[in-house]
């Protein structure tokens, strides 16, 4: 229902075409580890204030090398999203760490 207003959905999707906007959103995750949830007005961009962003860090040999993120409505199933994102990030971290050891 949050995105039945086409203009609202279009504004959120337009952020993905703007490198500066994506850079700004990614920078808010820098320095954080583990799973981070940003809900509604906690998001920096006005277009994202009806959304939630869930990120999880990915590491290689104990060093953070990136993040995975999921964008969704503020009323998403947080328990499920956090569990899945953490599972994927942990699996990817394990694969990267094993790859580094070889």
């Amino acid at each position: 229902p949050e995105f039945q207003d086409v203009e609202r959905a279009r504004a959120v999707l337009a952020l993905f075409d703007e490198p500066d906007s994506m850079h700004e959103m990614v920078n808010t995750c820098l320095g954080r580890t583990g799973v981070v949830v940003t809900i509604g007005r906690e998001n920096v961009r006005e277009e994202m204030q009806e959304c939630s962003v869930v990120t999880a860090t990915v590491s290689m040999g104990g060093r953070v090398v990136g993040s995975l993120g999921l964008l969704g409505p503020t009323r998403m199933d947080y328990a499920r999203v956090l569990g899945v994102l953490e599972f994927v990030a942990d699996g990817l971290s394990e694969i990267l760490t094993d790859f580094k050891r070889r």
Side-chain angles (χ1 to χ4, degrees):
E2 289 85 352
F3 297 112
Q4 286 186 2
D5 177 356
V6 176
E7 289 306 314
R8 185 183 303 174
R10 188 172 286 140
V12 171
L13 293 174
L15 291 174
F16 291 96
D17 288 332
E18 299 174 18
D20 290 339
S21 297
M22 293 305 297
H23 189 266
E24 182 181 17
M25 288 190 329
V26 169
N27 278 342
T28 62
C29 300
L30 294 177
R32 299 178 178 183
T33 57
V35 178
V36 177
V37 180
T38 308
I39 301 172
R41 297 189 194 281
E42 295 174 355
N43 290 303
V44 177
R45 299 293 302 233
E46 183 178 335
E47 302 93 325
M48 297 289 293
Q49 293 186 355
E50 297 292 325
C51 302
S52 291
V53 179
V54 182
T55 60
T57 52
V58 177
S59 60
M60 181 168 55
R63 191 177 112 238
V64 174
V65 294
S67 294
L68 298 175
L70 184 123
L71 166 69
T74 55
R75 60 182 189 84
M76 73 170 88
D77 183 349
Y78 289 97
R80 187 173 192 171
V81 168
L82 270 70
V84 169
L85 200 57
E86 187 172 33
F87 176 79
V88 172
D90 288 349
L92 184 55
S93 294
E94 188 176 316
I95 290 168
L96 291 172
T97 299
D98 288 347
F99 181 76
K100 181 181 178 184
R101 289 183 187 143
R102 292 180 188 182

